[in-house]
Amino acid sequence: MFFTSPIGLGHATRDIAIADKLGIPKSELLFVSGEGAPALIEKSGYRCLDLYRPEKFSVDNGQLQHSFRWLMAYYSYYKKCKEIAARVIAENPGPVISDEDFASIAMAEEAGRKRVLVTDILETHFTKGAASLVEKKMNRAMREMMDRCDCVIIPDVGEDRGNLRYVGPIVREVSADRETLRRRFNLARKTIVVSVGGTDAGRYLIEKTIEAYRKLKGRLDADLLVVPGPSLKLPDSPDYRNLGFVENLHELVYAADLVISLAGRSTMDESMAYGTPGIFIPIKGHFEQEEGAARLGYSHGDILRLESLIEETIGRRRDSVNAAGAKNAAKIISALFR
């Protein structure tokens, strides 16, 4: 069983990538998730129970609001998920793989199941001041849970220690070479893809990108493709192609000449794995996105200079990064559960 965090779509994409490398018939794997993730997982041929309803981030003009309130709401959500996970685990045999869903890790431990955690982070930093004392307590509990897992898989480059295994970036494989994909997507000119994942938190980035593109239109020979995902509705316009929700965003990233996105880990990894230049604008106050964007030289303030960044970056493809994380993760999981 894969218990996949429904906060965004990045967890689902990397779990699909791992599942595809396990060499197990798709009918023998069961996913549990929520929001937009089940549609993506099912389109990849896997069964998925649509059971989770996560608390949404409050984002205003690209800045995270009321972080402590969200943290407390997330704890309430975690307790609800424990009830769901306990029921699913009781009804289904086998080990548990969790992608940042700690409720299923807790319930799998109670049930005596083997368990693997896939995660980007070892602790959170959403709050400051007195509120951070509560977060520190939650972090300690989370870390103790990690320590008791059979394995913790981290999709990054690092040195293994204890039960932590660094496997490198985890991305899905593309189905064809770049030129074939460009013909398939009908991309005749240079192409900018703007995507904000599975939540509505990136509306501001789409709006700012469209605004910058309109200003550049007279001197930039490129098309704009907008992928608002499952949670945003966007009006059609002659200025851009509105693709809505697509299940193969990774192939669009590969085919594009520039990707503009929130600083979600999966999209950044796809950009690096395929050599596609990217501009990654983090939600201000979202520590994970801010840290990830900083590694690539971006910050929230770069939203104010999108025009110049687009002109500087478009078409400047890089050498692709070795992204064997899915294969490495599947090998570790197969050995543990043999």
Side-chain angles (χ1 to χ4, degrees):
M1 287 175 286
F2 277 84
F3 285 81
T4 301
S5 171
I7 301 176
L9 292 175
H11 304 283
T13 61
R14 69 187 181 196
D15 291 349
I16 291 167
I18 294 170
D20 285 346
K21 294 294 184 181
L22 285 175
I24 298 172
K26 291 186 175 183
S27 60
E28 294 182 14
L29 293 174
L30 175 66
F31 282 78
V32 179
S33 194
E35 296 295 298
L40 182 64
I41 292 165
E42 289 173 352
K43 283 181 180 293
S44 297
Y46 295 100
R47 296 178 298 148
C48 185
L49 301 179
D50 184 1
L51 300 177
Y52 284 167
R53 299 293 176 266
E55 296 296 328
K56 296 185 182 297
F57 285 108
S58 175
V59 177
D60 182 27
N61 198 30
Q63 183 164 351
L64 184 63
Q65 307 290 319
H66 315 299
S67 56
F68 182 69
R69 186 187 304 171
W70 177 84
L71 196 65
M72 292 299 96
Y74 180 85
Y75 182 66
S76 176
Y77 159 74
Y78 163 77
K79 290 192 290 185
K80 293 175 184 175
C81 289
K82 285 178 71 175
E83 296 177 4
I84 294 169
R87 186 174 68 250
V88 174
I89 290 169
E91 294 172 353
N92 295 276
V96 167
I97 303 166
S98 163
D99 194 324
E100 294 189 12
D101 175 53
F102 286 89
S104 58
I105 290 291
M107 295 299 95
E109 182 176 8
E110 283 193 13
R113 303 287 182 88
K114 286 188 175 181
R115 54 205 179 278
V116 169
L117 175 68
V118 182
T119 183
D120 294 330
I121 55 174
L122 300 180
E123 61 182 21
T124 66
H125 304 283
F126 283 111
T127 59
K128 297 178 181 178
S132 67
L133 297 176
V134 176
E135 187 174 15
K136 287 178 181 177
K137 184 177 180 180
M138 293 172 70
N139 275 326
R140 283 196 298 272
M142 181 174 72
R143 188 53 196 262
E144 289 169 0
M145 214 180 296
M146 288 183 188
D147 290 341
R148 295 192 298 269
C149 285
D150 293 276
C151 181
V152 177
I153 291 174
I154 302 177
D156 203 347
V157 177
E159 187 174 340
D160 295 349
R161 62 183 188 275
N163 66 343
L164 303 184
R165 297 291 181 269
Y166 288 81
V167 300
I170 297 175
V171 300
R172 291 176 289 174
E173 286 188 355
V174 294
S175 62
D177 63 77
R178 185 168 180 268
E179 289 308 313
T180 299
L181 290 173
R182 286 184 62 82
R183 289 193 296 271
R184 188 180 297 170
F185 294 130
N186 193 26
L187 307 181
R189 301 196 300 168
K190 284 187 176 179
T191 306
I192 303 167
V193 171
V194 56
S195 168
V196 294
T199 72
D200 59 2
R203 181 183 294 275
Y204 80 104
L205 180 57
I206 288 179
E207 292 172 349
K208 290 293 186 182
T209 300
I210 293 171
E211 180 183 323
Y213 176 74
R214 284 171 175 160
K215 291 178 180 178
L216 287 168
K217 212 170 181 183
R219 60 183 191 271
L220 185 69
D221 184 26
D223 292 322
L224 177 64
L225 276 60
V226 181
V227 186
S231 299
L232 283 175
K233 301 299 180 184
L234 198 68
D236 291 328
S237 167
D239 289 335
Y240 55 81
R241 285 169 57 187
N242 179 6
L243 300 185
F245 174 44
V246 297
E247 68 270 16
N248 58 339
L249 177 61
H250 63 303
E251 295 188 326
L252 272 173
V253 170
Y254 183 33
D257 297 283
L258 173 64
V259 58
I260 301 173
S261 174
L262 296 176
R265 182 56 184 266
S266 292
T267 307
M268 291 191 293
D269 282 349
E270 288 168 353
S271 168
M272 292 187 292
Y274 308 140
T276 304
I279 299 170
F280 300 102
I281 308 297
I283 297 171
K284 188 174 180 61
H286 190 304
F287 81 95
E288 186 179 2
Q289 290 204 5
E290 289 182 322
E291 290 176 1
R295 292 171 64 179
L296 299 180
Y298 292 107
S299 68
H300 177 76
D302 288 323
I303 191 76
L304 301 177
R305 60 187 195 101
L306 270 182
E307 288 175 59
S308 61
L309 283 173
I310 289 171
E311 287 186 299
E312 293 168 10
T313 311
I314 188 169
R316 296 187 177 180
R317 299 191 68 81
R318 306 180 301 262
D319 291 337
S320 59
V321 173
N322 181 20
K327 181 179 179 180
N328 295 336
K331 185 176 180 181
I332 290 169
I333 291 168
S334 296
L336 277 173
F337 297 158
R338 189 173 294 145

